[in-house]
Amino acid sequence: MSTAAKAAPEFKWKMVTTWPKNFPGLGTGANNLAKLIGEMTGGRVQVKVYGAKELVGALEIFDAVSRGTAEMGHGASYYWKGKSRAAQFFAAVPFGLTAQEMNSWLYHGGGMELWEEIYAEFGLVPGAAGNTGVQMGGWFNKEINTADDLKGLKMRIPGLGGEVLKRAGGTPVLLPGGEIFPSLQSGAIDATEWVGPYNDVAFGLHKAAKYYYYPGWHEPGTTLECFINKEAFEKLPADLQIIVRNAIRVANQDMLADFTAKNNRALEQLVNEHNVELRKFPDEVLQKLKDLSDKVVSEEAANDEKTKKVFDSFVKFRDQATKWHQVSEQAYLNARNPL
C-alpha cells in the first residue's frame, strides 16, 4: 500500500464552534484539537473547523451536532442550560472547582460518566477539551465598592454566575464572544466577563471599559468541551475511538498550559501599556456573591433528579479536594507568596 493511500482520510468530519474563527486560546484550541486528531490517527480522521456563524450560529452548535449537521462541536456546556440544567456543572460553578480539581473530578471522580449520561439523551458524546484556569472577574464601566453597586448592572455573564448576579440585583445577558465588544462599547451592557487577559486583550475590551476586576469567582476553572455526534463516533473503529478520546485529553491539558503561559504577559500589557485599572473585588462583595452562589447552586440542584445527582457528586468531590488543598496547594502558595 502506498503512503498516499495510507494518508487518505477514511472519515471527514466538520467541527462547529462557539468561538470566532482562529480566536486566541479558544478558537485556536479547537484548531489544535482538529490537528491532533489528524496527526494521531495518521490522517484517517480529518476534521475541518468552522468558526461561529461560518456554518451555524455560535449558540446553535449543540443542535447542529445533535442532529448530525456536523460531527463535532467545540464550546462550553453552560451555554446549554436550556437543554439540561445539569450541563452547567461540567463547565464552571461559582466558587466551585479549579482546573486541576475539575480534571480530577471528571477523570477520576465520576464526573465524566455523569456528563456522558446527560449528553446521551441528545445523541452526543462529550469530552473535556480545554480549561482556562481561574478567570478574571470582568470589565466594568463603574467601580464596584459594595454589593449595592451590582444592583441594576447589565452584565454579559452566562451560566450559574448569571443567576447569582440576578439575585444580587443585576441583569445577566447571554452573548456570544463576537458580540461582546460592540455591546460594551455602545452601552447596551455595563459590564462583561469573558475569560482572562490573554483572550480579553485580543478582543480589545480595554478600549470599551476602564476597570478590570479580579478574581473570577464565577468561573474558577472553566472546562471547555468537545462533543461528538454519537452515531458518527460509533462508526469509527475501536482504535480510532480511543485515539480521538485521547486527542481530546491532550488538547484539554495543552489549552490550560497555553493560558497559564500567556495570561500574565497580557495582563502586564493591559496595565502598563493601556493604563487599565486593575481592581480586586472588595471582600464584602465576594462574601455576598459566595452566599448567593451557595443558594443558587443548591436550588438549581433541586430542580430535577439528574441535576441533583450531578450536584451531589460535584459537592462531595469539592469538599474532599478542599480539605486536601488546604494542606497542599493552598498552604504552599501561601508560603511562597505571603500576603
Side-chain angles (χ1 to χ4, degrees):
M1 184 181 286
S2 69
T3 303
K6 287 182 181 178
E10 300 171 26
F11 301 91
K12 292 185 178 182
W13 283 5
K14 297 184 286 290
M15 181 197 293
V16 288
T17 79
T18 61
W19 324 119
K21 183 76 170 177
N22 300 322
F23 186 72
L26 305 176
T28 55
N31 296 345
N32 181 49
L33 174 56
K35 181 171 177 283
L36 280 168
I37 290 173
E39 291 175 348
M40 292 171 70
T41 62
R44 293 164 67 194
V45 181
Q46 183 183 84
V47 181
K48 180 175 174 58
V49 180
Y50 294 85
K53 296 184 180 180
E54 285 193 314
L55 197 60
V56 296
L59 301 181
E60 297 170 1
I61 70 166
F62 190 94
D63 287 338
V65 179
S66 181
R67 65 175 175 257
T69 302
E71 290 77 14
M72 301 182 75
H74 196 282
S77 65
Y78 51 33
Y79 290 141
W80 323 127
K81 174 183 176 180
K83 305 290 184 182
S84 169
R85 290 180 177 275
Q88 301 169 96
F89 286 86
F90 305 110
V93 173
F95 297 96
L97 301 179
T98 65
Q100 182 179 348
E101 292 165 345
M102 276 293 292
N103 285 331
S104 297
W105 176 56
L106 291 172
Y107 296 140
H108 299 287
M112 187 59 71
E113 290 82 358
L114 291 169
W115 198 355
E116 289 177 347
E117 182 182 325
I118 296 298
Y119 274 34
E121 298 176 35
F122 305 96
L124 299 173
V125 178
N131 200 298
T132 64
V134 181
Q135 296 194 6
M136 290 292 285
W139 296 87
F140 295 76
N141 273 316
K142 71 171 188 176
E143 295 182 75
I144 305 298
N145 295 314
T146 71
D148 285 342
D149 292 324
L150 299 173
K151 294 177 179 177
L153 188 79
K154 279 194 297 183
M155 182 175 182
R156 184 272 179 193
I157 179 170
L160 292 164
E163 182 59 32
V164 173
L165 177 70
K166 185 177 180 182
R167 299 287 183 91
T171 302
V173 179
L174 180 60
L175 294 171
E179 296 178 22
I180 294 175
F181 179 82
S183 297
L184 188 61
Q185 189 178 47
S186 69
I189 56 175
D190 307 309
T192 185
E193 65 80 50
W194 179 225
V195 183
Y198 173 38
N199 278 150
D200 295 1
V201 74
F203 260 177
L205 297 178
H206 56 282
K207 299 174 184 176
K210 181 177 181 181
Y211 303 106
Y212 199 24
Y213 275 87
Y214 70 95
W217 57 273
H218 59 300
E219 298 198 35
T222 306
T223 295
L224 287 308
E225 65 177 356
C226 167
F227 46 83
I228 305 171
N229 177 276
K230 191 170 186 289
E231 289 185 11
F233 185 71
E234 290 177 346
K235 287 178 183 177
L236 298 179
D239 65 324
L240 289 185
Q241 290 185 13
I242 293 169
I243 292 170
V244 168
R245 285 188 185 274
N246 279 285
I248 294 170
R249 287 182 74 143
V250 172
N252 184 33
Q253 179 58 40
D254 187 72
M255 184 185 290
L256 179 60
D258 189 37
F259 275 103
T260 303
K262 294 174 179 174
N263 265 330
N264 192 65
R265 186 166 59 221
L267 181 61
E268 290 179 346
Q269 180 185 350
L270 286 167
V271 173
N272 298 329
E273 296 178 23
H274 299 296
N275 300 313
V276 165
E277 292 198 31
L278 183 65
R279 301 286 181 90
K280 180 181 180 295
F281 284 121
D283 290 342
E284 172 210 328
V285 174
L286 289 172
Q287 187 58 55
K288 176 70 172 179
L289 291 169
K290 186 176 187 307
D291 292 343
L292 290 172
S293 295
D294 290 344
K295 293 177 183 176
V296 165
V297 175
S298 295
E299 289 172 12
E300 194 74 14
N303 276 298
D304 61 81
E305 283 302 314
K306 290 174 184 174
T307 305
K308 186 178 186 305
K309 185 178 178 182
V310 175
F311 169 79
D312 288 345
S313 172
F314 184 95
V315 169
K316 181 179 178 182
F317 192 89
R318 182 198 64 192
D319 290 348
Q320 64 94 13
T322 297
K323 290 176 182 177
W324 166 238
H325 279 165
Q326 286 173 345
V327 299
S328 58
E329 301 287 330
Q330 186 172 336
Y332 170 70
L333 290 173
N334 289 344
R336 189 180 72 179
N337 308 305
L339 298 176

